[in-house]
Amino acid sequence: MNKRKLQAIETKKKLYEAARRLAHEYGFENVSVDAIVEAAGVSKGAFYVHFESKDALAAELVNEYTKYADFNYKAFLSTVSEEASVLEVLALLGRKISTFLSESIGYENMRVLYRAYLTKSAFNTMPAISYNRELYRLLSEVLEKGIRKDELREDIPVEDLAKHLIMAIRGIAFEWCIRYPDFDLERQISDHFKILLYGLRK
């Protein structure tokens, strides 16, 4: 790889890291391209060499957060006791997800994310909303184990159950964005999971 390509990779990395840091601190909506390039120590022209727009950069950040989140969820599930019931496992996972949303992504960035999903076509193919996302597979595995252990009903396809759990999380997270700060995300996800999951129990 020649020197120019190495410099281009380094510039893009600087822009990406600056945007991630500023988004976490101020919320992506409140961060301008000017602020990103200043924090990265590069020119504004360099920004547009690597990213079509601020939204294009945001899409890459969402992709990064999605991969990081799913890696964390998978690692977390590997620590849960095999003796735990499927309902206990899913309740613990719901709590883990709520903590990630509130602490690692944050309210401001969640608001931007929801608006972007609704208005920007660049986000429509992102892993966060794909049915091939790792989180769907993780939930399906937990649910299949619950069926094998005779803890869950068998008349609803596992894939449908996993989708409904994620729809529930997204709906509650959206409600959190609407009612913040007077909304306890962790408690509401936990309560909703109990209502939803106990309806699945034999």
Side-chain angles (χ1 to χ4, degrees):
M1 191 175 294
N2 62 39
K3 185 177 180 181
R4 180 175 292 181
K5 287 184 178 179
L6 288 171
Q7 287 176 334
I9 290 171
E10 184 62 26
T11 298
K12 185 173 183 179
K13 181 180 177 182
K14 286 179 180 178
L15 287 164
Y16 186 84
E17 290 301 317
R20 185 179 59 79
R21 188 173 64 253
L22 291 170
H24 184 73
E25 187 172 353
Y26 302 108
F28 199 77
E29 188 174 35
N30 302 315
V31 177
S32 66
V33 171
D34 287 337
I36 293 170
V37 297
E38 182 179 348
V42 302
S43 70
K44 196 168 185 177
F47 178 93
Y48 289 106
V49 167
H50 296 285
F51 301 103
E52 181 181 321
S53 64
K54 179 182 160 184
D55 286 336
L57 173 54
E60 288 202 22
L61 286 173
V62 170
N63 188 25
E64 171 83 3
Y65 275 120
T66 301
K67 290 179 180 178
Y68 179 64
D70 288 357
F71 176 81
N72 270 327
Y73 303 151
K74 184 175 184 178
F76 172 74
L77 286 173
S78 71
T79 68
V80 177
S81 170
E82 287 290 326
E83 303 302 315
S85 73
V86 65
L87 300 179
E88 291 171 330
V89 172
L90 290 172
L92 289 170
L93 181 59
R95 189 176 306 150
K96 180 71 175 177
I97 290 171
S98 68
T99 300
F100 183 84
L101 294 179
S102 59
E103 296 181 5
S104 295
I105 297 181
Y107 160 71
E108 290 290 345
N109 290 324
M110 284 298 296
R111 286 179 61 243
V112 173
L113 185 57
Y114 274 112
R115 189 173 69 234
Y117 284 153
L118 293 170
T119 62
K120 303 294 184 182
S121 60
F123 287 82
N124 291 339
T125 58
M126 294 303 294
I129 60 173
S130 169
Y131 286 136
N132 294 320
R133 181 181 170 181
E134 178 75 1
L135 181 56
Y136 284 98
R137 190 183 66 78
L138 294 173
L139 284 171
S140 294
E141 288 178 358
V142 173
L143 292 163
E144 284 171 355
K145 186 181 291 186
I147 291 172
R148 287 197 303 271
K149 292 169 68 176
D150 203 32
E151 294 179 15
L152 298 181
R153 54 193 292 180
E154 304 173 11
D155 59 322
I156 304 175
V158 165
E159 295 79 12
D160 289 349
L161 296 178
K163 287 177 183 178
H164 277 279
L165 288 173
I166 291 180
M167 282 192 285
I169 294 168
R170 285 195 177 129
I172 296 165
F174 184 75
E175 188 77 6
W176 174 54
C177 291
I178 293 172
R179 303 194 183 282
Y180 184 88
D182 302 317
F183 190 90
D184 188 329
L185 179 63
E186 181 178 323
R187 184 175 67 81
Q188 293 294 340
I189 286 181
S190 176
D191 288 351
H192 195 74
F193 262 39
K194 288 175 184 176
I195 294 169
L196 187 59
L197 296 172
Y198 277 84
L200 300 176
R201 191 164 60 172
K202 283 189 174 180

